[in-house]
Amino acid sequence: MADALSVIPASVLRNLSDKLYEKRKNAALEVEGIVKQLALSGDHEKISAVIKLLAKEFTYSPQANHRKGGLIGLAAATVGLTSEAAQHLEQIVLPVLNSLSDQDSRVRYYACEALYNIAKVVRGDLIIFFNQIFDALCKLSADSDANVQSAAHLLDRLVKDIVTESDQFSIEEFIPLLRERMNVLNPYVRQFLVGWITVLDSVPDIDMLGFLPDFLDGLFNMLSDSSPEIRQQADSALSEFLQEIKNSPSVDYGRMAEILVQRAASPDEFTRLTAITWINEFVKLGGDQLVPYYADILGAILPCISDKEEKIRVVARETNEELRSIKSDPAEAFDVGAILYIARRQLDSEWEATRIEALHWISTLLERHRAEVLCFLNDIFDTLLKALSDSSDEVVLLVLDIHACIARDPLHFRQLIVFLVHNFRVDHSLLERRGALIIRRLCVLLDAERVYRELSTILEGEADLDFACIMVQALNLILLTSSELSVLRELLKQSLVNAAGKDLFVSLYASWCHSPMAILSLCLLAQAYQHASAVIQSLVEEDINVKFLVQLDKLIRLLETPIFAYLRLQLLEPGRYIWLLKALYGLLMLLPQQSAAFKILRTRLKTVPSHSFNGDQLKRASSGNPYSQILHYSGSQITEDGDVRQDNGNLQNGINFASRLQQFVQMQRQHRMLEKSQEQSQARRSSTLSKEGPEAEESRGPQTSDSNLPPSRSSRRGPG
């Protein structure tokens, strides 16, 4: 200190702390001259003493004017040292850096000015302090004082020039500093950071692309800034990096893919569009690197397919198709389970387009990796079944396609039909709204006869008789009206002469017994008219209720449709089809005379030509043997109990109609017993409630419904 005082006059030191800038400036010029003379004589010991004096007594002084003088003095000393400043640089720069955060804005301003002048002298030697300078400049870019901000900008430009021309700059040391500040919200700081990223990326020797994952998220964060200028700067930087990625042979796609997936779900529209555009390019360029990230990428793409912004939807769809076209093997880290999880989760999306694409992915995986998908079947099966209740017909049809693909295996086929019946049982509205669509589509995809046989087997042993009746009525209506089941109808028409038709008739009969109308429809379809007449005769008083009459009304109207045209034409030969006539008259006798169905059927029967009747046939039809009618089929004589008389011998088709009738009667007896039990239970409940009074009923709260009670009328209608 004494050495410094001996070389710097007291007047210079006094002026250096003066409140007037001109005096401080003149004093600094004198310090510059003194240091220059000491440098020429090589007396670095005294130079160090001078710098120490300026730092300790001035820049760290509690007096603002002293601090200002110290800063201008340190800058002057550096100018005086010129090329020899490097060996004293730490002594000079550290006090100035400290002053950059001074509480006095004027001191901060002079600190910027001092460091600017120092940097002009030492240039590249300043790089060793770059991180501290960058940290200070980052804060000063958002300084509350406009003059300080302006001074900081000048200093920032100079430091950028120094860095771009220096070969000592360490990007590895700088990146952690940059990463820490990338999520700052201050607009001035954001502009400062984007500026540095752009400048460093323009330097050929600095590999900013290699460190892009460290600050990519921060750049995407700036895309939603309230300032248009910042959004534009961030977008420009991102566009430049994307172009570099396209031209680079080596890119870390994985880490960046994780960031893009998150940003694709941003509430900001521009951010989503940019993220999905990047993902699109990554899918095209990334190749094998992206295989482990396919599930995450798909999770980002699928919601964007339903985005409100058309540009995003277009890019998302293109990316989705691009991703699906890539054929990867599970042995190459392609995670089928993860993809299935994403697709299953997106089936809960509120957007139809997203649900459809999720189903397309499941279908694609089934096609390419069937064995792996079936390993995860338990994880997705319930979700796929629930999707059958979707509000979109297209979604339901796609779900059915997937179910059909799974059900190619006999075990899975049985499982599908069992689960489907279970869903119909627990959700009658599904049967009403989607039953016909589901059954018809499955019949197309999985063979109608196979589907109906399996459904019949399940319903034959159904414990819930009410549900079984509803389900059978639904299946019967689909069988009679759907074009997809025309082959099945043709097979049933040959039940009396064809072994395959007979086998199908017997298979369906067991479950069709749950509904009198279904059995009658089946018999009329199979041309088992004598048995139809016997079924009508077997009905008892309890069977003729409102539900029965409603179903009967439907049957009468169906008889007027093209499906039963063959039956109406047979009425032209009443003598030949006497049991058909008797069955139809039996139905007529069951209908109320004022009903529309009665009038329809009566009108039809009035058109039957009376001249065709044969007295002997009428006698046989009214004789004691209910199975003696002789029909004619394709030139052969056929009895309804299965005897076929042809010129080349006899053929037994094996339908035991007497046994079938007994089966029907027993099943209907079970239904009547259940109905009586339900009525008695309801009566007891009503009696109990009337004794307890309304207060007890209110205190009990809502009653849970008995599982044996019939569903409401609306839930019993069945599809169609």
Side-chain angles (χ1 to χ4, degrees):
M1 189 72 70
D3 289 344
L5 292 173
S6 66
V7 296
I8 300 178
S11 60
V12 172
L13 294 175
R14 190 167 52 251
N15 287 336
L16 203 59
S17 60
D18 197 275
K19 64 180 180 178
L20 293 176
Y21 171 74
E22 286 299 324
K23 287 188 176 182
R24 293 198 304 273
K25 181 180 178 182
N26 290 331
L29 290 173
E30 292 190 43
V31 170
E32 178 185 337
I34 293 169
V35 171
K36 186 179 290 185
Q37 289 300 321
L38 291 173
L40 288 173
S41 62
D43 195 346
H44 287 280
E45 198 170 315
K46 287 185 178 180
I47 292 173
S48 294
V50 169
I51 294 171
K52 187 176 182 180
L53 172 68
L54 292 172
K56 186 176 181 181
E57 299 298 324
F58 286 86
T59 60
Y60 292 110
S61 170
Q63 300 296 322
N65 288 332
H66 279 66
R67 296 198 297 276
K68 295 173 188 176
L71 289 167
I72 196 172
L74 287 172
T78 306
V79 173
L81 284 168
T82 58
S83 60
E84 297 183 37
Q87 57 187 303
H88 300 283
L89 202 54
E90 185 172 349
Q91 273 185 294
I92 295 170
V93 171
L94 291 181
V96 177
L97 288 174
N98 179 69
S99 298
L100 288 172
S101 58
D102 197 281
Q103 62 183 5
D104 190 314
S105 62
R106 294 304 295 167
V107 173
R108 295 197 300 276
Y109 175 84
Y110 284 116
C112 289
E113 185 182 70
L115 191 58
Y116 181 88
N117 291 324
I118 293 168
K120 283 176 67 178
V121 173
V122 300
R123 302 295 293 187
D125 292 329
L126 196 68
I127 290 295
I128 60 173
F129 301 102
F130 175 77
N131 280 8
Q132 295 101 306
I133 294 172
F134 179 86
D135 185 49
L137 286 173
C138 188
K139 296 172 183 174
L140 291 172
S141 64
D143 199 278
S144 57
D145 189 289
N147 290 324
V148 175
Q149 274 195 26
S150 179
H153 289 159
L154 286 173
L155 175 60
D156 180 54
R157 283 200 290 272
L158 177 60
V159 175
K160 284 175 180 172
D161 290 340
I162 292 171
V163 168
T164 55
E165 67 188 27
S166 172
D167 57 0
Q168 298 178 5
F169 176 75
S170 173
I171 186 66
E172 290 82 3
E173 294 178 10
F174 168 67
I175 288 298
L177 195 67
L178 176 64
R179 184 174 57 234
E180 287 177 13
R181 287 154 179 77
M182 283 305 293
N183 289 321
V184 173
L185 299 179
N186 187 285
Y188 297 108
V189 175
R190 284 185 162 182
Q191 283 184 304
F192 171 79
L193 295 173
V194 175
W196 267 100
I197 290 171
T198 304
V199 166
L200 292 177
D201 187 48
S202 66
V203 180
D205 295 335
I206 297 177
D207 180 24
M208 283 295 281
L209 185 60
F211 295 95
L212 181 57
D214 291 289
F215 55 86
L216 180 64
D217 190 60
L219 280 176
F220 267 93
N221 202 26
M222 294 179 190
L223 291 176
S224 58
D225 195 277
S226 58
S227 166
E229 185 178 356
I230 293 174
R231 291 200 302 272
Q232 190 275 328
Q233 288 177 346
D235 182 50
S236 296
L238 285 168
S239 298
E240 184 62 33
F241 278 118
L242 185 57
Q243 190 59 46
E244 290 177 32
I245 288 171
K246 293 178 183 178
N247 299 326
S248 175
S250 177
V251 178
D252 183 1
Y253 289 100
R255 284 180 62 197
M256 289 189 285
E258 294 176 356
I259 296 168
L260 297 174
V261 163
Q262 295 177 354
R263 289 298 171 181
S266 169
D268 178 68
E269 181 182 299
F270 186 50
T271 303
R272 290 199 309 278
L273 177 59
T274 307
I276 203 71
T277 302
W278 274 61
I279 291 174
N280 180 274
E281 293 295 340
F282 275 27
V283 170
K284 294 176 182 176
L285 301 169
D288 295 341
Q289 280 194 54
L290 286 178
V291 172
Y293 302 94
Y294 275 6
D296 292 335
I297 291 173
L298 182 62
I301 292 171
L302 290 179
C304 288
I305 285 174
S306 303
D307 200 277
K308 61 183 179 180
E309 173 57 44
E310 184 181 1
K311 291 180 181 178
I312 297 175
R313 293 198 303 271
V314 170
V315 178
R317 285 191 176 279
E318 179 186 329
T319 309
N320 183 57
E321 293 305 317
E322 192 77 33
L323 190 65
R324 192 157 50 213
S325 67
I326 300 173
K327 296 182 179 180
S328 298
D329 195 292
E332 301 170 353
F334 181 73
D335 194 339
V336 173
I339 296 282
L340 280 175
Y341 172 77
I342 293 296
R344 185 191 69 182
R345 193 176 66 185
Q346 292 301 327
L347 286 179
D348 293 328
S349 168
E350 62 179 306
W351 305 109
E352 178 184 353
T354 294
R355 300 197 300 275
I356 288 172
E357 288 306 320
L359 289 168
H360 280 311
W361 267 98
I362 296 176
S363 181
T364 300
L365 291 177
L366 262 173
E367 179 185 333
R368 296 178 185 172
H369 312 290
R370 181 179 179 83
E372 288 80 4
V373 172
L374 293 181
C375 290
F376 296 96
L377 188 58
N378 289 337
D379 296 334
I380 64 172
F381 200 79
D382 285 345
T383 305
L384 287 173
L385 282 176
K386 290 176 183 175
L388 292 174
S389 303
D390 198 275
S391 57
S392 163
D393 283 353
E394 186 175 355
V395 169
V396 173
L397 291 174
L398 282 171
V399 172
L400 290 171
D401 287 348
I402 293 170
H403 276 303
C405 185
I406 294 171
R408 290 206 301 259
D409 301 331
L411 175 63
H412 294 129
F413 174 78
R414 169 73 180 178
Q415 186 182 16
L416 168 63
I417 303 301
V418 168
F419 271 95
L420 186 60
V421 172
H422 171 73
N423 272 24
F424 286 148
R425 185 188 303 111
V426 298
D427 183 7
H428 285 210
S429 63
L430 175 62
L431 183 60
E432 291 179 19
R433 294 182 293 104
R434 288 281 187 264
L437 177 67
I438 292 170
I439 299 300
R440 289 166 58 189
R441 187 61 180 167
L442 286 180
C443 285
V444 171
L445 298 171
L446 292 173
D447 179 59
E449 183 176 351
R450 186 184 179 199
V451 171
Y452 261 70
R453 281 179 179 274
E454 192 66 44
L455 285 167
S456 181
T457 301
I458 295 169
L459 292 171
E460 181 181 354
E462 175 61 47
D464 186 344
L465 297 182
D466 281 328
F467 165 70
C469 181
I470 296 170
M471 186 72 191
V472 164
Q473 289 169 358
L475 292 173
N476 183 65
L477 186 61
I478 296 167
L479 173 64
L480 294 177
T481 59
S482 300
S483 59
E484 295 88 345
L485 277 75
S486 59
V487 175
L488 210 60
R489 289 195 295 271
E490 289 302 317
L491 187 58
L492 284 169
K493 286 178 185 178
Q494 302 178 41
S495 298
L496 301 182
V497 294
N498 182 298
K502 178 271 301 183
D503 194 42
L504 177 59
F505 177 86
V506 172
S507 175
L508 297 183
Y509 194 99
S511 59
W512 259 236
C513 285
H514 284 291
S515 168
M517 260 337 95
I519 280 291
L520 288 172
S521 301
L522 185 64
C523 291
L524 294 177
L525 192 60
Q527 303 185 68
Y529 302 134
Q530 184 174 350
H531 187 65
S533 181
V535 167
I536 294 170
Q537 295 293 333
S538 73
L539 296 174
V540 298
E541 181 182 347
E542 291 93 331
D543 295 327
I544 316 300
N545 52 30
V546 174
K547 292 183 287 185
F548 174 89
L549 294 174
V550 168
Q551 291 297 314
L552 180 54
D553 182 277
K554 287 183 180 179
L555 176 58
I556 299 305
R557 295 177 188 276
L558 281 171
L559 291 177
E560 296 298 316
T561 62
I563 289 170
F564 281 106
Y566 70 92
L567 182 148
R568 299 195 299 275
L569 290 173
Q570 288 171 350
L571 290 175
L572 292 173
E573 303 177 82
R576 187 177 178 184
Y577 298 101
I578 190 68
W579 286 108
L580 169 59
L581 198 61
K582 185 171 182 179
L584 294 180
Y585 269 109
L587 294 179
L588 186 68
M589 294 304 115
L590 296 178
L591 287 165
Q593 292 189 52
Q594 299 306 314
S595 65
F598 178 89
K599 296 173 183 176
I600 292 171
L601 184 55
R602 184 181 61 177
T603 302
R604 174 61 65 185
L605 290 173
K606 281 182 178 180
T607 64
V608 175
S610 58
H611 66 270
S612 300
F613 282 101
N614 182 303
D616 292 337
Q617 290 172 322
L618 283 172
K619 289 178 182 178
R620 284 197 297 272
S622 59
S623 66
N625 180 5
Y627 296 104
S628 61
Q629 176 191 10
I630 295 177
L631 300 176
H632 298 275
Y633 187 92
S634 301
S636 302
Q637 290 186 323
I638 308 164
T639 61
E640 270 198 7
D641 60 357
D643 294 331
V644 182
R645 296 184 179 86
Q646 294 176 320
D647 295 339
N648 59 354
N650 295 332
L651 171 66
Q652 297 289 326
N653 79 341
I655 300 179
N656 188 337
F657 283 107
S659 176
R660 299 281 81 77
L661 182 61
Q662 187 62 31
Q663 188 178 19
F664 169 74
V665 170
Q666 289 177 354
M667 181 61 76
Q668 288 306 302
R669 187 179 296 120
Q670 291 182 40
H671 277 270
R672 286 194 294 272
M673 289 172 62
L674 174 64
E675 194 166 334
K676 287 179 180 178
S677 173
Q678 291 171 345
E679 289 173 355
Q680 291 171 2
S681 177
Q682 184 65 36
R684 285 196 298 271
R685 183 178 288 106
S686 299
S687 175
T688 302
L689 291 176
S690 63
K691 289 179 181 179
E692 292 179 355
E695 293 181 1
E697 184 178 352
E698 288 180 11
S699 65
R700 182 182 285 107
Q703 301 295 309
T704 56
S705 60
D706 192 318
S707 60
N708 291 325
L709 289 178
S712 65
R713 179 173 298 179
S714 64
S715 68
R716 296 174 64 88
R717 289 179 298 175

